[in-house]
Amino acid sequence: SQKIEQNSEALNIQEGKTATLTCNYTNYSPAYLQWYRQDPGRGPVFLLLIRENEKEKRKERLKVTFDTTLKQSLFHITASQPADSATYLCAPGSGWAGNNRKLIWGLGTSLAVNP
Amino acid sequence: EAQVTQNPRYLITVTGKKLTVTCSQNMNHEYMSWYRQDPGLGLRQIYYSMNVEVTDKGDVPEGYKVSRKEKRNFPLILESPSPNQTSLYFCASSLFGENIQYFGAGTRLSVL
């Protein structure tokens, strides 16, 4: 069955450093992959989407890579700030219409940025 | 402001007492879905709807019902809640042809 794995252990880093979060998938060939941020008790918020034909995508301090050979996506936050502390969810998807729209959600990685 | 609104935010109820969690979006999105989120299990889709009067089961539909009579509203109905439905529930919507999900703030449900 399809499986999405994210770093299960919380990631603690110092303010100003780069945080790197990993998302691995198996038994799956997604057409795209999304990253969301979730604060405790709140709904996930969309951050970035990267398609299978894109190697890298950037938005301000965020960068996402997508390696379909390794079946892996990396999510980077550069110059991290305490306000970046949250859980980050990886969600690959296989299509854009009908039931193919369904995202497969990872469990998330908790990031803590220490001042 | 573009948003997905869920109500109530918190709900404590007893086994067997029917309840409805409302969800409304103001973005004219065709696609709406309901998720539950539990520790160690992540987000699991309960039901989804591709448009008015079109709904289908997700991964964990047992014990839930939905309806989509208007494009903006997608209520989640628990006809006879049980303690194993204690969870954090999210409604989400997205545009047809784009799969970015916009989530509501969540409803924390406790069934005693």
Side-chain angles (χ1 to χ4, degrees), chain A residues 24 30 34 52 58 68 76-77 110:
Chain A
N24 295 301
Q34 301 185 31
E52 62 181 333
R58 291 175 186 261
T68 55
H76 307 272
I77 306 175
S110 176

Side-chain angles (χ1 to χ4, degrees), chain A residues 32 34 36 38 99 101-102, chain B residues 37 48 59 94 99 101:
Chain A
Y32 54 87
Q34 301 185 31
Y36 288 75
Q38 186 175 23
N99 204 28
R101 297 172 59 91
K102 182 180 153 184
Chain B
Q37 187 175 38
Y48 66 95
D59 297 315
S94 65
N99 207 5
Q101 306 279 310

Side-chain angles (χ1 to χ4, degrees), chain A residues 25 50 54-55 65-74:
Chain A
Y25 55 91
I50 186 166
E54 298 174 314
K55 294 293 183 191
T65 63
F66 192 9
D67 189 326
T68 55
T69 302
L70 288 178
K71 294 186 178 294
Q72 181 181 79
S73 175
L74 298 178

Side-chain angles (χ1 to χ4, degrees), chain B residues 4-105:
Chain B
V4 177
T5 303
Q6 288 180 234
N7 279 299
R9 291 290 317 280
Y10 303 92
L11 181 59
I12 300 174
T13 189
V14 295
T15 300
K17 187 176 180 181
K18 181 180 178 179
L19 67 91
T20 299
V21 184
T22 63
C23 174
S24 180
Q25 50 93 6
N26 63 0
M27 296 171 279
N28 203 35
H29 286 170
E30 296 86 2
Y31 189 85
M32 298 184 75
S33 57
W34 275 102
Y35 294 90
R36 62 178 288 175
Q37 187 175 38
D38 302 285
L41 296 176
L43 280 165
R44 294 180 291 168
Q45 190 181 57
I46 302 170
Y47 268 94
Y48 66 95
S49 169
M50 286 189 277
N51 216 323
V52 176
E53 303 291 2
V54 181
T55 64
D56 209 344
K57 296 177 181 178
D59 297 315
V60 288
E62 294 76 23
Y64 304 95
K65 283 175 58 177
V66 293
S67 68
R68 186 94 182 269
K69 293 182 172 31
E70 302 167 283
K71 196 172 186 179
R72 61 184 294 129
N73 296 324
F74 190 44
L76 179 70
I77 302 154
L78 284 73
E79 294 268 0
S80 182
S82 62
N84 65 11
Q85 293 178 298
T86 292
S87 186
L88 180 57
Y89 291 85
F90 291 106
C91 178
S93 72
S94 65
L95 268 176
F96 196 75
E98 174 197 86
N99 207 5
I100 295 170
Q101 306 279 310
Y102 295 84
F103 284 83

